[in-house]
Amino acid sequence: MKVMLSSNDQGNLSVYVPKKDLEELVVEETVEGNGKILTLANGWKLKFPELTDETTLPQTLEAKRL
């Protein structure tokens, strides 16, 4: 699914899912291979296969819900 990953004023990551009209803060980041798994405040886990620390934000990325 396509999601928008951005950083808010406090420097926290947030994820916006347009199809669900859902915006949640990221509460946990786990590195897996060359990507990351982000855990959202609502409990969702999203896998970003191509996300690195050098990724510029805001950006629309492909994610898979686990």
Side-chain angles (χ1 to χ4, degrees):
M1 76 175 95
K2 297 275 188 189
V3 300
M4 172 75 100
L5 185 62
S6 62
S7 180
N8 64 14
D9 295 337
Q10 292 81 27
N12 299 323
L13 284 177
S14 67
V15 174
Y16 176 67
V17 183
K19 289 193 174 204
K20 301 284 186 185
D21 194 28
L22 172 74
E23 185 167 8
E24 291 287 338
L25 289 176
V26 175
V27 295
E28 183 181 349
E29 291 183 43
T30 306
V31 176
E32 182 177 283
N34 61 343
K36 290 187 180 184
I37 296 176
L38 302 182
T39 303
L40 307 183
N42 68 353
W44 283 19
K45 290 184 184 254
L46 299 177
K47 182 176 182 177
F48 293 85
E50 300 175 7
L51 183 63
T52 64
D53 290 336
E54 292 81 34
T55 303
T56 57
L57 301 175
Q59 190 168 14
T60 301
L61 300 168
E62 187 69 30
K64 180 178 181 181
R65 186 172 171 198
L66 303 178

